Amino acid sequence: MTASTTDAPATHDPGLSRRTLGVPSITLMIIAASAPLTVVAGGVTTSFAVTGSLGVPLGFVVIAVILTVFAVGYTAMGRYITNAGAFYAYISQGLGRPIGVGASLIALVSYNAMQIGVYGLFGFQLSMFLEAKFGFSSPWWLWILLCIVVVGVLGVNRIDFSAKVLGVLVALEFLVVIVFDVVSLAVAPEGVTATTLNPAELFGPSLGIVLVFGVAAFMGFEGAAIYGEEAKDPKRTVPRATYAAVAIIGLFYAFSAWAFSVGIGPSNIVAKSQESGPDLMFVFMNSHVSVIFVDIMNILFLTSLFASLQSFHNAVARYFFSLGREGVLPTWFAGTSKHGAPWAGSVAQTVIALVVTIGFIFSGEVFGGAAALGEQSFLYPVLTMFTWLTNTGAMGLVLLMAVIAAAVIGFFRRDRRGLGAWTTIVAPLVSGLLLAWVFVMIIANFHVQLGQKEPTFGTYVLPIIVVLAGIVGVVWGLSLRRRKPEIYRQIGHGTEPGAYGTELIGVVDER
């Protein structure tokens, strides 16, 4: 197949770096995306506060089990497809190219939403920390703009350098949360009790909403496949990193949520979470450890957010690269540096983050969005930018995982490649149905996630944007099939050496 200069990236482009990342590096980048300290401080308290349920710790276990079952088919499919556009490539080869293109745009919107939303919390927390410790008053958006530049610089450098930075930050996060867990179990005002580990506390009317709030803590776990082209051994590295990340995240969050409830007391954890929110962790530690350690915790909370920002930035950059390489987006997006970093995709994500952030700045500062919140005006970047975008991103990624489960069945339908029914049918079917149910619960409770008493049309504007992105993608895919068949044939199949193309799959599926 030949391609014109407008439909394919330049042949001298070195592409992504090869055989760079091992299991530890990819696992750490996945965990960095979930931001452990942020989840324990913010996610756990929010779950207790909003759901009013004591089943939050077990909720993490249930989600981990669902995602482990999902990973069975997901990683099996990954042995035959190595593509930086992970979801996009899997769905293209499992359900057809037009649906794959639709999935790619949903992935771009969702990952961008997750990443940019976290900027809102980062800017707010850093601004508040500097004012509290040094009396230095500064606008929240200043720190976001500076952080966007730093993340962008790391994004255009070697991925192994970025992995090392994230690895150090994640290790420090784990250390400080472990200290918090130990202190909580030592304080235990009501004794070291298993009250919040009682299944009866979870499996009731609140089950759905607990899972809705808990699933966001795992977003990013599916990202191992995005680094497949840069993995040392894609067939082994990606599955191992995926399973390791799910196990570590699930068990660590469940244990820490349980320890949190023991430290505050099961009878008080809901009320205290509603009263203090994410500050509860720091208020608790301030009463039992030195001020210096609490300050260190606050700093690591900020680095936790930074690590998450960098991880999601890397994922978005690689999606842009994959789509540009295959001609779905302008081929400029396929540009990589001599070190194998997707610089064009990184720059694109940086520009998007800047534009969206400036939009929120104008909305809050110029058009009175912050003032409309009254006494909560200082929380503007958290209640809008962070809350709106991260919940939207999580919703889109859960939807994509449900579709991926169907794609696994479609991929192995005609050739199981020696794999059993559990891997190719049962596991993806069960996990797909459960993820679809979680997605429905997210939509049904989206107003709760946004802090609204009742849903309005505005509640669903962002979810509608995600769905529209998918529809636009499907239409664009059908258009490529008619107008540019040579581009259409390579959708989701990769064009770089080392990527599994149609020649390795054996049959060119023209769907």
Side-chain angles (χ1 to χ4, degrees):
M1 178 179 65
T2 60
S4 68
T5 56
T6 59
D7 288 336
T11 56
H12 66 270
D13 195 310
L16 296 175
S17 57
R18 296 293 178 183
R19 300 191 179 281
T20 302
L21 303 174
V23 174
S25 295
I26 295 178
T27 302
L28 287 172
M29 283 193 287
I30 294 172
I31 295 174
S34 73
L37 180 54
T38 303
V39 168
V40 176
V44 169
T45 52
T46 301
S47 294
F48 276 123
V50 176
T51 67
S53 169
L54 296 181
V56 172
L58 276 184
F60 287 117
V61 175
V62 171
I63 296 169
V65 170
I66 293 173
L67 295 182
T68 299
V69 176
F70 166 79
V72 171
Y74 182 61
T75 56
M77 195 172 179
R79 298 171 195 164
Y80 305 94
I81 304 172
T82 303
N83 191 304
F87 282 173
Y88 150 71
Y90 287 17
I91 294 173
S92 293
Q93 296 197 35
L95 298 177
R97 291 168 173 81
I99 298 177
V101 177
S104 73
L105 296 193
I106 290 178
L108 278 177
V109 171
S110 299
Y111 278 120
N112 270 297
M114 289 291 290
Q115 200 259 8
I116 299 170
V118 174
Y119 274 123
L121 183 57
F122 176 86
F124 170 80
Q125 287 294 140
L126 182 51
S127 176
M128 295 298 291
F129 177 74
L130 292 175
E131 185 169 2
K133 298 305 297 182
F134 306 107
F136 176 63
S137 180
S138 57
W140 56 269
W141 48 263
L142 171 64
W143 305 112
I144 295 178
L145 296 178
L146 291 174
C147 187
I148 288 174
V149 173
V150 175
V151 169
V153 170
L154 286 174
V156 298
N157 278 283
R158 289 175 59 94
I159 185 63
D160 53 341
F161 174 69
S162 182
K164 290 174 183 176
V165 173
L166 296 182
V168 171
L169 297 180
V170 170
L172 292 173
E173 285 184 65
F174 269 89
L175 180 61
V176 76
V177 174
I178 289 172
V179 171
F180 166 74
D181 292 342
V182 171
V183 172
S184 295
L185 295 177
V187 173
E190 298 175 23
V192 180
T193 170
T195 300
T196 52
L197 298 179
N198 185 349
E201 298 291 349
L202 174 65
F203 294 99
S206 61
L207 173 62
I209 189 66
V210 169
L211 298 186
V212 164
F213 276 88
V215 74
F218 290 79
M219 291 303 96
F221 99 96
E222 76 293 338
I226 295 175
Y227 302 101
E229 296 183 37
E230 299 158 276
K232 292 181 178 179
D233 183 356
K235 290 186 178 181
R236 294 181 176 84
T237 303
V238 171
R240 290 174 181 174
T242 300
Y243 284 117
V246 174
I248 293 171
I249 291 172
L251 293 176
F252 187 72
Y253 289 169
F255 179 82
S256 297
W258 168 69
F260 208 147
S261 70
V262 171
I264 303 300
S267 64
N268 292 318
I269 185 64
V270 171
K272 290 293 185 181
S273 294
Q274 292 171 339
E275 177 183 336
S276 300
D279 284 338
L280 181 59
M281 182 181 191
F282 302 98
V283 171
F284 171 81
M285 292 297 281
N286 197 47
S287 302
H288 301 287
V289 298
S290 67
V291 175
I292 293 177
F293 187 81
V294 176
D295 287 343
I296 293 173
M297 285 183 64
N298 276 287
I299 293 172
L300 289 176
F301 183 68
L302 290 167
T303 62
S304 171
L305 294 171
F306 177 82
S308 179
L309 288 166
Q310 191 66 57
S311 184
F312 279 118
H313 173 88
N314 291 342
V316 173
R318 280 153 182 78
Y319 261 95
F320 274 123
F321 164 81
S322 180
L323 294 172
R325 180 181 63 189
E326 299 181 8
V328 176
L329 291 180
T331 55
W332 176 85
F333 287 105
T336 56
S337 69
K338 63 180 180 179
H339 299 299
W343 70 265
S346 181
V347 170
Q349 202 286 319
T350 299
V351 171
I352 291 172
L354 282 171
V355 170
V356 174
T357 298
I358 291 172
F360 274 95
I361 293 172
F362 271 84
S363 177
E365 305 290 337
V366 179
F367 299 110
L373 295 173
E375 295 181 355
Q376 294 185 309
S377 60
F378 72 102
L379 287 171
Y380 172 76
V382 178
L383 297 179
T384 58
M385 191 171 177
F386 174 71
T387 302
W388 294 357
L389 297 183
T390 54
N391 283 309
T392 300
M395 179 213 69
L397 294 177
V398 170
L399 171 61
L400 285 178
M401 284 192 286
V403 177
I404 280 283
V408 172
I409 297 174
F411 182 77
F412 290 110
R413 177 171 54 86
R414 285 175 293 186
D415 182 1
R416 289 189 182 179
R417 294 168 173 80
L419 300 175
W422 164 251
T423 300
T424 60
I425 300 175
V426 179
L429 178 61
V430 171
S431 61
L433 290 174
L434 289 172
L435 286 166
W437 173 68
V438 173
F439 173 73
V440 171
M441 294 301 299
I442 290 175
I443 295 298
N445 293 281
F446 206 70
H447 66 288
V448 178
Q449 292 177 278
L450 299 187
Q452 300 172 337
K453 293 183 179 179
E454 297 292 337
T456 64
F457 174 76
T459 303
Y460 301 106
V461 170
L462 289 172
I464 289 172
I465 290 175
V466 173
V467 174
L468 283 177
I471 295 173
V472 169
V474 171
V475 172
W476 177 238
L478 293 172
S479 175
L480 288 174
R481 182 170 65 180
R482 178 175 55 86
R483 296 171 52 246
K484 297 183 178 181
E486 71 283 1
I487 294 296
Y488 184 79
R489 278 193 295 270
Q490 69 185 20
I491 287 176
H493 291 78
T495 57
E496 278 197 331
Y500 290 94
T502 54
E503 72 280 4
L504 296 183
I505 295 172
V507 178
V508 178
D509 186 348
E510 293 293 346
R511 289 180 298 169

